[in-house]
Amino acid sequence: MNLLSGVLDFLFPPRCPICSAYVSERGGWCKECLRSASDTRRLPMDVEAFAVLDEVWALGKYHDGLRPLLVPLKFHGKRDRLPYLHTFLESTGNRNVNILMQVSTAVPVPLHEEREKARGFNQTELIFREWALSRGMSWQCALVRSRSTTPQFGLGADERIKNLSGAFCLSECADVRGKCLLLVDDICTTGTTLRECAKVLRKGGAEKIFGLVLSSDRS
C-alpha cells in the first residue's frame, strides 16, 4: 500500500483542493487556503433555537471556503473530496475543548430514507463519524427524517420553517435521555434544521444539545 501510494504521489502529486498548490500529502491543504477557509465561531440563533440548543458552532466558511468540496460530495457523489474535509475537521474540530469535554454522544442530522438511498450515503456521517469516535464519543443515529422535504436551498425563512416542521422524529433505537449531545451537520444557513432536530431530542429527554457544523456563512 505504501509503495502504491508513493507511485500515485509521484505520478499525480497531491495538491491543495482550493488553489491546486502542491502539498506534502494526499488530502492536505496549503497553509494559506486552510487558514482562509477556517473560521471557528459561535453562531447567532433566534430565541426559539436557543430554547432547545445550548450553543451552535461553525468551523469554517461556506461560499468563501468549503463550498467547492461540499457541493461535489453532496450532489455528485464525489467521495474523493472527503480526505480534504477530514483534514479540515482535524485541524479545526478540537478548538471547542469545553464543549467536547461535555458531550458523550454525536448525533447526525438525518436525510430522508429515499434521498439517502439515491445519494448512497449521508454526507454528515461520512464527514463526522470517525472524528467523533476518535474523540471518545459514541455515534448514534437517534433521529429519522419522517417525511420527504423540499431541499432548503433557495427557500425563504418562513418557507424553511414550514418545510421542516414535524419532519423529524426519534429513531426506534434512540437513547438520548439525560445525555449531552453533539448535533452535527455539514452546513448551517438559517439554523432551522438544527432547531427542528433539537426540539425532538429535547422531547426525548436530552439534557444538553450543542450544534456543530462544518461550514456556515452566518456570523
Side-chain angles (χ1 to χ4, degrees):
M1 181 61 71
N2 290 336
L3 177 60
L4 178 59
S5 297
V7 172
L8 288 174
D9 286 348
F10 177 77
L11 295 175
F12 307 102
R15 294 173 178 267
C16 171
I18 305 301
C19 71
S20 296
Y22 290 113
V23 293
S24 60
E25 57 186 5
R26 206 160 297 280
W29 295 58
C30 75
K31 291 182 179 180
E32 183 176 345
C33 287
L34 183 60
R35 182 170 55 250
S36 178
S38 302
D39 187 15
T40 301
R41 64 210 185 274
R42 183 177 177 178
L43 297 182
M45 305 290 283
D46 59 31
V47 173
E48 187 177 359
F50 279 130
V52 290
L53 286 157
D54 290 272
E55 294 179 14
V56 179
W57 287 80
L59 300 176
K61 305 168 187 175
Y62 180 64
H63 280 98
D64 294 327
L66 297 171
R67 188 178 187 276
L69 299 175
L70 289 172
V71 168
L73 172 65
K74 291 175 65 171
F75 301 112
H76 304 291
K78 301 292 186 180
R79 297 194 188 206
D80 59 342
R81 278 29 176 204
L82 281 169
Y84 301 108
L85 294 172
H86 291 158
T87 299
F88 182 86
L89 183 56
E90 285 290 338
S91 173
T92 60
N94 296 328
R95 295 176 183 176
N96 293 317
V97 176
N98 290 337
I99 290 177
L100 297 181
M101 290 179 64
Q102 295 181 61
V103 298
S104 61
T105 303
V107 176
V109 169
L111 295 177
H112 186 265
E113 182 180 5
E114 292 179 0
R115 185 170 297 169
E116 184 168 349
K117 184 177 181 180
R119 187 173 292 177
F121 54 82
N122 179 345
Q123 73 281 351
T124 299
E125 182 165 2
L126 292 184
I127 293 168
F128 281 100
R129 186 175 187 274
E130 292 304 318
W131 172 83
L133 292 175
S134 71
R135 278 145 188 81
M137 303 176 213
S138 63
W139 182 266
Q140 188 178 159
C141 295
L143 292 168
V144 172
R145 196 178 290 243
S146 55
R147 61 177 175 81
S148 183
T149 57
T150 302
Q152 293 284 84
F153 176 77
L155 298 180
D158 292 340
E159 293 174 313
R160 286 171 177 264
I161 294 171
K162 183 177 180 180
N163 187 42
L164 290 181
S165 180
F168 301 99
C169 64
L170 288 178
S171 65
E172 293 182 359
C173 62
D175 178 20
V176 299
R177 185 168 298 279
K179 293 186 176 181
C180 181
L181 306 178
L182 188 68
L183 179 63
V184 294
D185 203 4
D186 59 334
I187 184 172
C188 175
T189 305
T190 65
T192 304
T193 301
L194 292 176
R195 184 185 68 204
E196 293 302 309
C197 287
K199 284 181 181 179
V200 175
L201 295 170
R202 285 287 188 187
K203 289 180 179 178
E207 182 177 346
K208 287 186 176 182
I209 305 172
F210 295 101
L212 181 67
V213 297
L214 198 68
S215 64
S216 181
D217 285 335
R218 294 172 67 89
S219 57

